Amino acid sequence: MANIDIPTVSSFRFLKNANLILRNPLPFHRENFEKLGDIFQVDLGFRKNVIFCRDANFAEYVLKKNHKNYHKSTIQTEDMAKYLGHGLLTTDGEQWRKQRRMVQPAFHKKQLAQLLDSVDAAIKTEIDRVETGKVMDIFPIFNDLAFQTVVKSLFSSAAGQEEINRLQYITEAAQKMLVKELRQPFKGWWFKLSGKIKHHLELTQEAREILKKIVAERRQSGQRQDDLLDMLLDARYEDGEAMSEKQLIDEILILFTAGHETTSNALTFTAKLLANHPEVQDKIAAEVKEARANSENHFEFLKNCTYTSQVVEESMRLYPPVYFIDRVNLEDDEFNGIHIPKNSSLLFSLYEIHRDEEHWKNPEKFDPDRFEGGGNKHEPYYFPFGAGPRKCIGNNFAMYEMIMTVAELVSRFKISAPSAEIEIQPLITLKPKNAILEFTPR
């Protein structure tokens, strides 16, 4: 069968739209998908191309069926690793497999059940900060909530508030710097010359020193907290060896980054959608009241919050925090007659796949009922946590945290918004913008 040519967006057209793409690449992607089909490539100049795709079958092929031939791009393995070290998010191949096998048991549902008291306490502390009778941007509260939840689950009470605040500042500063480097590669020389990169690398080293101190104190105390830190300290490779201190710190830094930004984004989008749908809020409030009356523990409560879970799933369909997945193929490949030369850069738009009319009825509509019975029935074209062997290891933890947060928020408040518009800011993750809401006691 003859190879099918991939339609190409010229480097001239790419450069002509560079400023718009810098601010928000999604309209540019949508325009090209509508014009050229579900797969196209952009000529970046200097013999560099990126293949863009919104074909769910191709995504499933790359992420599941032939995943061994497709590795992470240098955005993760080099650019992110510079600040975060070499943990699950930033490694590939044998090192990734070794770490995944070792860390996986810490995220089993039974283990996570032990953390739910800490998660609940962190959520309630941050929701207490919501002010009624005035408009406010909810994102900073959810941002702090997500970070505090990760920290409390990792360290119980081992980290002081001053240390937590410093770790959060450094994590967010490094993320902002990385976004600048990725979005403005032509300024790379300036970032180096001005000392900006050096400054942020020094900040991440400071974070490492704080974490080393916390780990050393835990080891010296000889006391168990049964938190994530204990689980990671208990973890062993197949030969019985524990993680090195450096590897442990790398994994913790990645948990901070992966576990807090995506969750705060998803919670903010969910709150904005709820503000536009008071009838959905009322259904959640009724479900939460009944679930609290009929649940003996947090785990039972989560099982009884099926509709609240559907709301979170639908929110992540419309606004997936990880809105693209990129891969590079190690060897030549072919999919449906399309030849993929080795070392091709592929970018799968989850934002587009989640809004594809072929898979979703009325895709632009917020309809939690489509997830009745769980998200598994949509699995071939629904990827909020990725797919295949590299699916996010913390997906259950994130879902528990988000369901508990939405339940707490809606049981306390009615949410409204001065504007129904939901603004987005696509950076490394899909971030909300101007999430202005008003809360009144329920």
Side-chain angles (χ1 to χ4, degrees):
M1 188 170 72
N3 281 324
I4 299 168
D5 289 333
I6 302 174
T8 302
V9 176
S10 69
S11 56
F12 171 76
R13 190 157 166 264
F14 169 69
L15 290 169
K16 185 181 168 188
N17 287 276
N19 284 334
L20 292 173
I21 293 167
L22 190 62
R23 286 198 296 273
N24 180 359
L26 295 181
F28 181 73
H29 296 170
R30 168 64 61 93
E31 185 185 337
N32 288 310
F33 281 127
E34 294 301 310
K35 185 177 169 185
L36 303 173
D38 291 342
I39 300 174
F40 67 87
Q41 60 186 345
V42 176
D43 179 359
L44 303 178
F46 307 103
R47 293 186 174 182
K48 284 185 74 178
N49 285 354
V50 176
I51 297 170
F52 288 79
C53 175
R54 68 172 181 187
D55 182 331
N57 295 321
F58 190 17
E60 190 175 39
Y61 171 77
V62 166
L63 298 174
K64 286 185 176 181
K65 295 174 182 173
N66 196 21
H67 66 89
K68 287 183 179 176
N69 189 37
Y70 289 86
H71 277 198
K72 296 168 183 174
S73 74
T74 55
I75 289 175
Q76 285 173 287
T77 58
E78 292 179 18
D79 298 318
M80 290 180 79
K82 180 171 65 184
Y83 296 113
L84 301 177
H86 296 279
L88 275 179
L89 190 66
T90 55
T91 54
D92 242 320
E94 189 50 42
Q95 187 185 354
W96 171 82
R97 275 187 286 277
K98 192 178 171 187
Q99 281 304 111
R100 180 85 184 203
R101 278 197 296 266
M102 187 189 204
V103 175
Q104 185 80 53
F107 289 89
H108 284 164
K109 289 182 179 181
K110 281 186 180 177
Q111 296 280 20
L112 294 179
Q114 299 178 49
L115 305 176
L116 294 179
D117 281 344
S118 295
V119 171
D120 186 55
I123 288 168
K124 284 176 175 167
T125 298
E126 296 305 318
I127 298 293
D128 284 344
R129 292 169 50 205
V130 173
E131 297 179 55
T132 56
K134 59 180 278 191
V135 293
M136 62 183 296
D137 188 341
I138 194 62
F139 179 76
I141 285 179
F142 284 148
N143 196 44
D144 290 349
L145 181 152
F147 197 84
Q148 294 285 346
T149 304
V150 173
V151 170
K152 299 294 186 203
S153 301
L154 260 166
F155 301 139
S156 301
S157 56
Q161 195 56 50
E162 196 175 317
E163 289 173 319
I164 293 171
N165 292 345
R166 191 64 184 158
L167 287 169
Q168 183 172 349
Y169 169 78
I170 292 169
T171 303
E172 290 171 4
Q175 283 174 297
K176 285 174 187 169
M177 187 64 223
L178 181 59
V179 168
K180 285 181 184 175
E181 289 179 71
L182 294 176
R183 281 288 173 92
Q184 299 173 300
F186 48 87
K187 282 190 176 179
W189 64 274
W190 167 247
F191 294 142
K192 284 181 183 173
L193 198 64
S194 64
K196 284 183 180 294
I197 289 176
K198 182 172 179 283
H199 171 67
H200 285 84
L201 289 174
E202 286 170 354
L203 281 178
T204 54
Q205 187 54 42
E206 182 191 339
R208 287 177 171 276
E209 295 304 322
I210 294 171
L211 294 172
K212 280 182 191 175
K213 177 173 163 282
I214 292 168
V215 171
E217 286 172 355
R218 174 65 59 85
R219 281 184 165 135
Q220 286 161 15
S221 75
Q223 293 182 331
R224 289 192 62 82
Q225 302 290 337
D226 287 324
D227 50 18
L228 277 174
L229 178 57
D230 275 342
M231 294 177 201
L232 293 174
L233 288 169
D234 290 344
R236 293 291 182 271
Y237 295 114
E238 289 174 349
D239 62 3
E241 282 289 306
M243 258 188 274
S244 68
E245 183 179 65
K246 182 189 177 303
Q247 192 65 56
L248 179 64
I249 302 299
D250 286 356
E251 296 299 353
I252 291 171
L253 282 172
I254 280 165
L255 283 173
F256 282 163
T257 303
H260 116 264
E261 180 167 325
T262 49
T263 303
S264 56
N265 293 353
L267 283 170
T268 305
F269 283 123
T270 303
K272 277 291 290 180
L273 287 162
L274 287 173
N276 293 344
H277 295 86
E279 75 287 356
V280 174
Q281 292 183 55
D282 291 342
K283 281 185 78 170
I284 293 173
E287 176 179 79
V288 170
K289 187 177 180 182
E290 189 175 337
R292 282 177 175 161
N294 295 300
S295 307
E296 291 185 10
N297 54 51
H298 294 303
F299 210 61
E300 265 186 40
F301 173 75
L302 286 162
K303 282 184 179 175
N304 290 330
C305 285
T306 52
Y307 184 73
T308 309
S309 177
Q310 288 170 220
V311 169
V312 174
E313 296 266 29
E314 174 68 343
S315 171
M316 288 194 294
R317 179 188 71 82
L318 284 167
Y319 299 100
V322 178
Y323 66 104
F324 71 89
I325 293 177
D326 54 341
R327 290 287 184 266
V328 177
N329 55 325
L330 304 178
E331 301 295 338
D332 284 12
D333 203 356
E334 186 177 297
F335 179 80
N336 284 356
I338 298 172
H339 177 64
I340 314 293
K342 68 186 279 187
N343 294 325
S344 293
S345 295
L346 293 98
L347 194 148
F348 295 93
S349 175
L350 305 190
Y351 186 87
E352 288 287 335
I353 291 171
H354 285 185
R355 293 167 181 252
D356 190 335
E357 287 181 349
E358 187 181 332
H359 306 301
W360 308 94
K361 187 180 176 183
N362 298 325
E364 302 295 328
K365 182 185 177 186
F366 176 64
D367 179 13
D369 288 340
R370 70 173 93 234
F371 283 96
E372 193 173 352
N376 289 343
K377 63 184 176 184
H378 299 298
E379 203 171 60
Y381 42 88
Y382 181 58
F383 308 104
F385 296 104
R390 292 186 182 89
K391 186 174 181 178
C392 172
I393 199 169
N395 65 314
N396 287 322
F397 179 87
M399 281 301 295
Y400 296 163
E401 179 186 351
M402 289 188 285
I403 293 166
M404 289 169 75
T405 301
V406 171
E408 185 68 28
L409 189 74
V410 174
S411 66
R412 291 199 203 184
F413 308 108
K414 290 184 178 180
I415 312 168
S416 57
S419 167
E421 184 186 4
I422 297 178
E423 296 181 61
I424 60 174
Q425 191 176 18
L427 298 174
I428 292 176
T429 59
L430 188 66
K431 291 182 79 73
K433 192 177 173 185
N434 299 326
I436 309 299
L437 298 173
E438 187 170 356
F439 299 86
T440 53
R442 183 172 286 278

